[in-house]
Amino acid sequence: MTIDLFILLLIGFMLAAGLIAVETSDLLSAVIAVGAAGFALSVIDLLLGAPDLAFPQVLVEIITLVLLIRMIMTRRDTSRQTPRDTLRTAVVLLGGGVFLVAAFLAVVGLGAGATVPAFGEPLLAGGHPGVSAAYLWQFDKDTGVANCVMGILLDYRAYDTLGEATVIFVAIMGGYVVLRKVGRKRQAQEPSP
Amino acid sequence: MKGMTSIVRDVTRLVAGVVMVYGVYVSCTGHLTPGGGFAGGVIIMAGVVMLVLAFGGERANELLAESRCHVLDGSGALAFALVALLGFFAGGFFVNFLPRGRVHQLVSGGMILPANLAISLKVAAGLIGIFLALVLATRQPSSQE
């Protein structure tokens, strides 16, 4: 129960950090607020007993903070004040309210009962024996690994990992395309219209 | 981009190698403890980021050119696809073709260890390449203005 309370507090902290990141006018404060939200997420992962997730989360968060602060320190002047827009804020608040109502109905239910399983209940545990239960019973015999998460990632669900690797590959290629030097030079040589 | 003071340089010289070795360790023992190829690759990249920030972009570019990162990135992706394709020897795509071994041993889990190493190489090389590209791109003043 105390762990639930901790997690709710951390989610509140993440919401506050996200709001600060969106609303602040200073780019550096926004980056630091995003970093705070990421570290809170990694603490939530640890509290839920998922070190496999918390570990890369902390690492990626540190690297992203270093990179973003580095970028902001070198090009400080590109920050631009976003105009205040009452209509946009109202639409966002309305959308958030609709989402909260939908989530409440899904978790608590109107009278027919909840459609989402209770917190901490695995989704695929139903049936005989159920996919999650079967994985947990047999993973050492099936895959020969001691870390069940890695057995699922790279043996049972290796196709998903291949998809993730493809996503990283394409994202890195996109970064190279944006940052490549050939295009920069050619653009600099051409007379500007 | 210039390097930092000699205090930072000396501490980095001592620590960066240990950080990178720890990254290799994490990606080698992904099937035994939490971690794995992605986390290990990011740790290796963190070591290189320390070196680049402490010694400056020019020195880093001498040691590890960005084009070499492209080659390593592509070969990591190829190695992962090759591990998946070798499963055809056992019957299909991504089938674990190596012997499972005993649980809790370093050499166990069949193809999971080589797959983790391939992912680690891919992630480390790709992220280092992106980081070098960003650092060298911010070094030049933009020519549009």
Side-chain angles (χ1 to χ4, degrees):
Chain A
M1 201 56 217
T2 47
I3 284 195
D4 284 8
L5 200 65
F6 263 127
I7 290 172
L8 279 179
L9 276 176
L10 282 169
I11 289 176
F13 177 75
M14 282 177 67
L15 274 175
L19 279 178
I20 291 172
V22 172
E23 286 297 326
T24 184
S25 58
D26 187 22
L27 213 51
L28 187 61
S29 329
V31 166
I32 291 173
V34 168
F39 282 120
L41 181 61
S42 67
V43 174
I44 290 178
D45 285 340
L46 268 185
L47 286 178
L48 288 176
D52 275 281
L53 270 179
F55 198 16
Q57 173 71 33
V58 170
L59 286 168
V60 171
E61 204 57 54
I62 291 170
I63 299 280
T64 317
L65 260 183
V66 169
L67 255 183
L68 284 179
I69 289 178
R70 175 89 221 151
M71 304 295 290
I72 284 168
M73 285 301 171
T74 37
R75 7 176 113 166
R76 194 75 196 241
D77 52 346
T78 50
S79 67
R80 214 166 287 156
Q81 192 91 28
T82 31
R84 304 260 163 200
D85 194 346
T86 333
L87 181 66
R88 202 182 297 165
T89 314
V91 168
V92 167
L93 281 180
L94 189 68
V98 169
F99 173 74
L100 276 183
V101 168
F104 180 77
L105 288 183
V107 171
V108 178
L110 263 188
T115 45
V116 173
F119 184 69
E121 293 279 318
L123 191 60
L124 297 172
H128 300 280
V131 180
S132 305
Y135 283 173
L136 287 177
W137 277 109
Q138 313 170 359
F139 74 91
D140 47 353
K141 279 178 230 94
D142 279 351
T143 64
V145 296
N147 181 13
C148 177
V149 177
M150 202 43 74
I152 288 175
L153 274 182
L154 280 175
D155 199 312
Y156 290 122
R157 301 283 169 91
Y159 276 105
D160 293 0
T161 309
L162 184 66
E164 280 172 31
T166 315
V167 167
I168 299 176
F169 193 67
V170 172
I172 287 172
M173 253 185 344
Y176 283 143
V177 167
V178 173
L179 294 167
R180 72 196 193 283
K181 281 189 217 121
V182 185
R184 280 171 177 272
K185 270 181 197 156
R186 214 169 274 158
Q187 207 173 28
Q189 280 162 5
E190 277 172 15
S192 54
Chain B
M1 170 182 148
K2 293 249 176 70
M4 295 188 185
T5 59
S6 68
I7 299 173
V8 181
R9 285 184 190 212
D10 284 344
V11 172
T12 306
R13 217 193 294 266
L14 286 175
V15 172
V18 181
V19 169
M20 283 188 244
V21 169
Y22 181 62
V24 175
Y25 164 78
V26 165
S27 44
C28 281
T29 57
H31 54 299
L32 303 175
T33 55
F38 187 79
V42 178
I43 294 176
I44 297 172
M45 184 250 182
V48 177
V49 165
M50 281 172 69
L51 283 179
V52 173
L53 289 181
F55 287 92
E58 293 87 358
R59 186 73 200 287
N61 215 24
E62 284 168 23
L63 292 177
L64 189 68
E66 197 193 311
S67 55
R68 204 177 296 166
C69 287
H70 297 194
V71 176
L72 285 176
D73 186 15
S75 51
L78 259 185
F80 188 44
L82 196 69
V83 169
L85 282 177
L86 282 177
F88 274 112
F89 284 119
F93 199 60
F94 264 126
V95 172
N96 207 335
F97 59 95
L98 289 170
R100 305 285 192 279
R102 278 179 51 214
V103 183
H104 294 290
Q105 297 272 319
L106 180 60
V107 182
S108 67
M111 68 163 192
I112 288 177
L113 181 56
N116 258 333
L117 287 177
I119 290 176
S120 146
L121 175 66
K122 201 198 111 38
V123 169
L127 293 184
I128 290 168
I130 278 291
F131 180 74
L132 284 180
L134 280 171
V135 163
L136 297 180
T138 49
R139 197 160 51 88
Q140 308 160 337
S142 58
S143 51
Q144 277 89 2
E145 293 135 54

